[in-house]
Amino acid sequence: MSTRVNPNCRLEDQGIEGLGRVYYNLLEPALMTEAIARGEGVLGLGGTFLATTGDHTGRSPKDKFVVRTPDVEDSIWWENNAPMPPEAFDRLHADMLGHMKGRDYFVQDLYGGADPRERLDVRVVTELAWHGLFIRHLLRRPEPAELVGFSPEFTIINCPGFKADPQRHGCRSETVIALNFEKKLILIANTAYAGENKKSVFTLLNYLLPAKGIMPMHCSANHAPGDPDDSAIFFGLSGTGKTTLSACASRVLIGDDEHGWSDEGIFNFEGGCYAKTLNLSAKAEPEIFSTTSRFGTVIENMVYDKDTLELDFEDNSITDNMRCAYPLDAISNASETSLGGHPRNVIMLTCDAFGVLPPIARLTPAQAMYHFLSGFTAKTPGTEVGVVEPIPTFSTCFGAPFMPRRPEVYGKLLAEKIAQHGASCWLVNTGWTGGAFGTGSRMPIKATRALLAAALDGSLNDVEFRRDPNFGFEVPVSVPGISDVLLDPRRTWDDRASYDRQAAKLVQMFSENFAQYLEGIDDEVRAVAIG
């Protein structure tokens, strides 16, 4: 069965035959109707869709593989990307096609990338109707006329009901995410976590775009009202404030997670947002909060009252990683084009649970490369079983799980872009002050917003700076409206000697992690690394 649009390229043309009903490019109301009728979830307040994802409430990075074919042999970062033999992938593909026979599937033909010159045409074939709704929010939706001649460059087949066989399929467990660049095909099995769909496309773009001189980035972005050339990008790992800080009411949101930086400027890869909802509040983040009662929003792994359907934003008994997915136009100040000029400011967000880093620091280009390749944040006690003290997390380029190429490839591209366009670089700590996690307190969001605003409007460059003795970057001494004590983390600790020991410990962690990059970097960055 074909619904809504008779595509130029049907699944049968791709060797996917013998299926039940096939639904092509259903819109949101139809996808919601099908998902509810099939018992995939519950209709929530305001017409949201409430879903749970079973055993997998987050990504499965250890189950992600790249097929080792001759065309990518010399360009994949194999230390970071587990290889899968081509013959194992072929068996997995054949067995998944067998599993699909007689079952209903939902097809969404979408774009990855807001820039028409650089976008990737992607077909997503899903077993679950709500996965179709999710990816329709998160990727970019073609106009109806564009669907008639749509021919996918890459196809994703997602079968949560299929269990892989590690012996037969060359994988680690019954869950698998396998990328085959030669066959332009991604296979996902035994996980209902919808984020695997969007991050698979991100991984594709992270491989394809550098060859074109385009920097793919795990970052959010915004620009000044009426001036797309006054743009800023915000790098950061999960939990550092990437979505929160970019969705600033006084600026235009370009996107909250994935972007490219080309010779023309920056562009969003996506058409929506995937925001964390743990402790989300209407007061602190009104726009994002409002999407949790908006028609079509996917609410994933949240606890709710079975009678009233009211969401519990504080109950993390299912997962800390509870989220909502919605299209960009749900945010009132979102860009209509999802495009921006060359960034004037590059911001690197970190959640320092050690209480060592200042709330903001100005970086030289070499220091920016050091912190970009380091990709530092920290896990806090309680986020995972067995975590009893802050644990440093170094995820190179602020997104190691999605980086198919060597980190130096992305580092060099970013360095070239920063140098060419003269962007100012900043490190912003949204973590702890006055002590480490458990002793200190979380950095005041009001202060973070004020410091960012001063950085973005240029006024922060006019204040006095001091050189940080631990990392060598410049830290403001005094900023209007901000406590001078807050700007100097050592002064926020009651025990200054304890701060010094904690700072030395963190510097050593950075140094030990960065040793892996010393051979592939230039002399200026090496000088930062070795102090």
Side-chain angles (χ1 to χ4, degrees):
M1 176 181 178
S2 173
T3 58
R4 186 174 175 236
V5 172
N6 185 17
N8 182 57
C9 177
R10 299 175 58 81
L11 291 185
E12 291 88 339
D13 301 325
Q14 297 178 267
I16 306 174
E17 299 177 326
L19 305 186
R21 296 163 68 93
V22 178
Y23 300 85
Y24 290 95
N25 298 306
L26 294 188
L27 300 181
E28 290 80 355
L31 288 166
M32 293 271 290
T33 300
E34 289 292 338
I36 292 167
R38 292 161 189 267
E40 296 176 4
V42 174
L43 182 66
L45 295 177
T48 58
F49 183 76
L50 310 178
T52 54
T53 60
D55 293 339
H56 294 274
T57 58
R59 292 179 297 100
S60 300
K62 293 182 180 178
D63 293 307
K64 187 174 180 179
F65 296 83
V66 174
V67 180
R68 197 161 199 157
T69 52
D71 57 324
V72 299
E73 175 64 42
D74 297 330
S75 51
I76 296 292
W77 179 22
W78 293 112
E79 294 87 349
N80 186 62
N81 294 270
M84 174 179 282
E87 57 273 17
F89 179 88
D90 291 343
R91 289 191 293 269
L92 175 65
H93 187 203
D95 291 348
M96 285 182 66
L97 292 180
H99 163 86
M100 295 171 71
K101 291 188 183 300
R103 300 172 186 264
D104 295 351
Y105 279 83
F106 298 84
V107 177
Q108 287 287 320
D109 292 325
L110 301 161
Y111 297 138
D115 187 338
R117 294 160 297 191
E118 311 299 348
R119 70 190 182 198
L120 184 70
D121 296 355
V122 181
R123 166 165 286 181
V124 185
V125 183
T126 64
E127 205 165 70
L128 298 172
W130 79 266
H131 273 203
L133 177 65
F134 171 91
I135 202 64
R136 186 169 174 78
H137 288 335
L138 267 297
L139 292 186
R140 303 192 64 83
R141 299 162 290 283
E143 296 296 326
E146 295 176 303
L147 289 171
V148 176
F150 190 97
S151 181
E153 297 172 67
F154 277 82
T155 297
I156 298 171
I157 300 176
N158 190 329
C159 298
F162 179 84
K163 296 184 182 297
D165 179 344
Q167 290 282 90
R168 177 172 170 77
H169 300 133
C171 50
R172 187 186 72 97
S173 71
E174 292 180 331
T175 301
V176 64
I177 303 97
L179 289 77
N180 191 320
F181 288 99
E182 183 179 80
K183 294 194 171 182
K184 300 181 182 295
L185 181 62
I186 298 175
L187 304 177
I188 303 174
N190 195 47
T191 172
Y193 181 67
E196 296 288 11
N197 295 293
K198 92 178 199 95
K199 287 305 185 186
S200 293
V201 176
F202 186 40
T203 304
L204 285 178
L205 291 167
N206 281 334
Y207 181 76
L208 297 171
L209 293 181
K212 302 167 72 174
I214 299 172
M215 174 64 187
M217 303 176 292
H218 189 211
C219 72
S220 56
N222 62 28
H223 69 72
D227 187 3
D229 288 332
D230 185 3
S231 69
I233 54 178
F234 302 75
F235 288 102
L237 297 168
S238 180
T240 58
K242 202 160 75 274
T243 297
T244 299
L245 294 172
S246 59
C248 174
S250 63
R251 291 176 67 85
V252 177
L253 177 67
I254 298 173
D256 82 326
D257 197 39
E258 304 169 5
H259 294 79
W261 188 351
S262 72
D263 290 340
E264 307 301 321
I266 58 174
F267 61 97
N268 193 355
F269 289 166
E270 301 184 306
C273 301
Y274 192 30
K276 282 194 169 186
T277 55
L278 181 60
N279 298 322
L280 183 67
S281 75
K283 182 178 180 181
E285 299 175 75
E287 292 254 49
I288 298 175
F289 188 88
S290 70
T291 68
T292 61
S293 58
R294 179 187 189 276
F295 176 79
T297 294
V298 174
I299 308 290
E300 196 178 58
N301 293 320
M302 284 193 70
V303 174
Y304 58 90
D305 186 288
K306 296 300 187 288
D307 296 319
T308 67
L309 299 178
E310 290 184 4
L311 300 171
D312 190 331
F313 292 88
E314 297 179 358
D315 190 337
N316 61 348
S317 57
I318 298 177
T319 178
D320 285 331
N321 193 37
M322 52 207 226
R323 292 179 179 263
C324 62
Y326 50 89
L328 269 170
D329 61 18
I331 303 298
S332 62
N333 63 327
S335 166
E336 293 183 3
T337 64
S338 293
L339 302 173
H342 299 291
R344 292 181 184 173
N345 289 278
V346 173
I347 294 131
M348 298 181 187
L349 302 171
T350 181
C351 177
D352 173 24
F354 296 88
V356 169
L357 297 175
I360 196 166
R362 186 166 62 185
L363 306 176
T364 66
Q367 289 168 340
M369 285 308 96
Y370 177 77
H371 286 278
F372 178 70
L373 290 173
S374 295
F376 167 72
T377 192
K379 293 179 182 177
T380 56
T383 57
E384 291 183 9
V385 175
V387 177
V388 295
E389 64 179 21
I391 295 177
T393 298
F394 293 96
S395 185
T396 189
C397 308
F398 295 98
F402 324 116
M403 302 297 164
R405 297 179 183 270
R406 286 282 315 172
E408 294 85 352
V409 172
Y410 305 104
K412 182 180 179 182
L413 262 175
L414 183 61
E416 290 172 351
K417 299 290 186 187
I418 289 173
Q420 183 178 356
H421 301 289
S424 297
C425 301
W426 308 90
L427 181 70
V428 172
N429 173 24
T430 61
W432 270 256
T433 183
F437 178 94
T439 302
S441 58
R442 195 73 190 256
M443 195 72 68
I445 184 67
K446 185 177 180 180
T448 301
R449 289 189 186 279
L451 289 168
L452 271 175
L456 296 181
D457 68 20
S459 61
L460 194 58
N461 285 311
D462 298 330
V463 306
E464 180 186 355
F465 284 81
R466 64 176 177 85
R467 185 179 183 278
D468 181 84
N470 299 301
F471 287 92
F473 42 53
E474 292 184 314
V475 181
V477 173
S478 182
V479 177
I482 304 296
S483 165
D484 291 355
V485 172
L486 186 68
L487 294 169
D488 186 349
R490 189 173 187 270
R491 292 172 62 192
T492 67
W493 284 52
D494 292 334
D495 185 342
R496 308 290 171 85
S498 293
Y499 171 85
D500 292 339
R501 288 192 295 271
Q502 188 84 317
K505 180 180 177 182
L506 185 59
V507 169
Q508 183 63 27
M509 291 175 184
F510 265 85
S511 180
E512 291 173 354
N513 170 73
F514 204 82
Q516 63 187 302
Y517 307 122
L518 289 177
E519 292 185 9
I521 59 176
D522 62 32
D523 291 340
E524 287 185 290
V525 181
R526 187 177 292 105
V528 172
I530 64 178

